[in-house]
Amino acid sequence: MATIPRQMLGLPNSPSFRYKALNPAYQSDPRRILGQQLMQQGSSSAPVQTPLQGLGRLSSALVGAYLQKGAVDRQVAKESAYEDRLTNAIGNLDMSAMPPGFDALAQFDKEKALNFAVNYGMQKNLAELKKPPIKPKEPEKGFMFKDDGKTQVVRPRSSVAFSQAEKFTKPIIKDLGKFKIQINALKNGATSANQKNAAGDAGLIFQFFTALDPGSRVTDGEVQLAKASQGYGEQFKNEIARVWKSEGQLLGDKMRGQIVTIMRNLAENNKSTVNLSLKSIKPRINSLGYEPNEIVPDLNFLDFDLEQYSYGQPTKKKNIDVSGNLGFGNEVTITPEIKNSTDQNLILQLTN
């Protein structure tokens, strides 16, 4: 194997031969080998026989030196380009990820520093791969993560969702309970009215006050004297008392019909209130994975035909004006605590 000529080391523009990857190409360069052979021929110390032989030796030495110089220049150019590539590669490294002392190594020996960085990165990645996988954070019971993996929302049809749905429907269940009481009062009141006697009239008045204020307790004094109740208007209660007294405790057909009609309209108004509240709350219930009838019991009562309970022949007339001067109107409004609340505010209001 050809050796690196010692006389060229350390000279201006001479290669350093510090990069082992480049040396084999230099050593196997045929032009350099030929130049070396010619220089050996030209430097022979054997006596020359003729002047031409001496001139030939000189020519061989000159050509050999020229070929050698070309090989050296090419090696210098290769080392310079290689060093530039090493500098650029090190410049692209994340120095903050390197261990202490790497910067000093890079200034002293770029090739060794780059090899170290590659091996260090591979070992670091391998260590990361060997780490046990991090168990993903579990959402709280009844919740799930949104697509961002951080924000928790209620899981549909979970226990939390059911609890929220129950809170949302509290006002509806309350109004529906009153409506069921009014249906029963209307049924019993119509039955009592159609008896057309004093006992039936007493039962009708009792059922009227039940429909007027569902869930309250009606006393005999409120029925007969109409002094304690403040719910429907003093004029109508006084009228009941006057007719009861002047007509021998018989209300008469007109008064019976009016009372039954008012009771039916009271029930219709409460029914409309429930339907409006139900319409407003349905999207919230659906977002929790439920239908309203899965949360609110007895929603089928909203399909109840109230017209079947009447005095005499059932009337098909809608929007009967029963207010007059009695302080009662036909306006129906949604339950305010549902209409004016966000989901969170509604839950807070209903649980406090």
Side-chain angles (χ1 to χ4, degrees):
M1 179 181 291
T3 58
I4 298 171
R6 294 179 179 273
Q7 67 272 21
M8 293 185 180
L9 295 177
L11 296 177
N13 295 325
S14 63
S16 65
F17 298 105
R18 64 188 297 183
Y19 302 119
K20 295 180 179 180
L22 303 179
N23 294 340
Y26 173 80
Q27 292 173 347
S28 61
D29 186 349
R31 288 168 294 184
R32 185 198 66 79
I33 295 173
L34 176 60
Q36 188 177 29
Q37 291 173 349
L38 290 174
M39 285 187 67
Q40 288 176 350
Q41 292 176 9
S43 62
S44 174
S45 59
V48 295
Q49 302 297 324
T50 64
L52 290 177
Q53 186 180 9
L55 183 62
R57 286 183 181 180
L58 178 60
S59 298
S60 295
L62 291 175
V63 172
Y66 174 78
L67 292 176
Q68 284 278 71
K69 180 65 167 60
V72 167
D73 289 342
R74 287 191 294 275
Q75 182 71 5
V76 169
K78 288 180 180 179
E79 287 185 355
S80 178
Y82 186 66
E83 188 164 354
D84 289 342
R85 291 198 297 272
L86 289 176
T87 301
N88 292 334
I90 291 176
N92 291 328
L93 293 175
D94 182 7
M95 302 300 286
S96 63
M98 294 294 107
F102 178 81
D103 189 47
L105 176 62
Q107 293 178 8
F108 175 75
D109 191 333
K110 293 183 174 63
E111 187 177 41
K112 185 177 291 185
L114 186 60
N115 289 332
F116 174 83
V118 172
N119 292 330
Y120 181 78
M122 292 177 62
Q123 291 174 4
K124 193 174 181 180
N125 292 336
L126 185 61
E128 289 293 330
L129 292 174
K130 288 182 177 179
K131 284 183 178 180
I134 300 176
K135 187 177 181 181
K137 183 180 178 182
E138 293 291 333
E140 297 178 23
K141 184 178 180 181
F143 290 82
M144 65 182 183
F145 287 125
K146 295 178 69 174
D147 293 339
D148 60 9
K150 298 178 181 179
T151 307
Q152 291 191 125
V153 293
V154 176
R155 185 186 299 278
R157 300 194 72 83
S158 65
S159 58
V160 175
F162 186 82
S163 178
Q164 284 198 11
E166 282 187 318
K167 293 184 175 88
F168 290 156
T169 55
K170 253 187 176 180
I172 295 176
I173 294 174
K174 181 180 178 181
D175 288 338
L176 186 61
K178 291 181 179 180
F179 177 62
K180 290 163 63 178
I181 293 175
Q182 288 174 328
I183 291 177
N184 191 57
L186 175 61
K187 174 184 176 181
N188 294 333
T191 301
S192 297
N194 284 298
Q195 292 177 7
K196 298 182 180 181
N197 56 35
D201 289 345
L204 173 60
I205 294 173
F206 181 87
Q207 296 299 333
F208 167 74
F209 280 103
T210 300
L212 190 62
D213 189 10
S216 65
R217 183 174 180 273
V218 182
T219 65
D220 293 339
E222 287 175 322
V223 175
Q224 295 181 12
L225 303 177
K227 292 180 179 180
S229 176
Q230 299 296 324
Y232 195 76
E234 291 296 328
Q235 291 184 17
F236 187 65
K237 289 180 281 186
N238 291 337
E239 178 67 10
I240 292 177
R242 184 192 66 76
V243 173
W244 182 272
K245 192 172 183 179
S246 63
E247 298 186 14
Q249 295 190 345
L250 291 175
L251 295 178
D253 289 340
K254 180 179 179 181
M255 181 59 70
R256 295 188 188 107
Q258 187 177 13
I259 292 175
V260 173
T261 300
I262 291 172
M263 292 173 66
R264 186 167 57 249
N265 280 10
L266 285 170
E268 288 284 4
N269 272 19
N270 209 351
K271 175 181 177 180
S272 298
T273 298
V274 173
N275 279 323
L276 283 174
S277 298
L278 196 61
K279 183 179 179 181
S280 174
I281 211 73
K282 190 176 186 297
R284 296 178 181 180
I285 304 298
N286 292 155
S287 68
L288 295 171
Y290 293 100
E291 290 296 330
N293 60 359
E294 295 181 88
I295 307 298
V296 182
D298 302 330
L299 274 183
N300 58 307
F301 275 87
L302 294 176
D303 299 326
F304 207 86
D305 180 19
L306 299 177
E307 294 290 345
Q308 62 181 300
Y309 301 124
S310 61
Y311 178 70
Q313 293 297 322
T315 176
K316 295 298 181 181
K317 184 179 179 182
K318 302 295 183 182
N319 298 325
I320 299 175
D321 184 10
V322 299
S323 57
N325 295 321
L326 304 178
F328 176 79
N330 291 323
E331 180 182 1
V332 179
T333 58
I334 190 172
T335 302
E337 56 189 334
I338 290 180
K339 180 179 180 182
N340 302 322
S341 296
T342 63
D343 287 359
Q344 188 62 30
N345 288 340
L346 184 58
I347 292 175
L348 291 175
Q349 290 175 14
L350 297 176
T351 53
N352 289 337

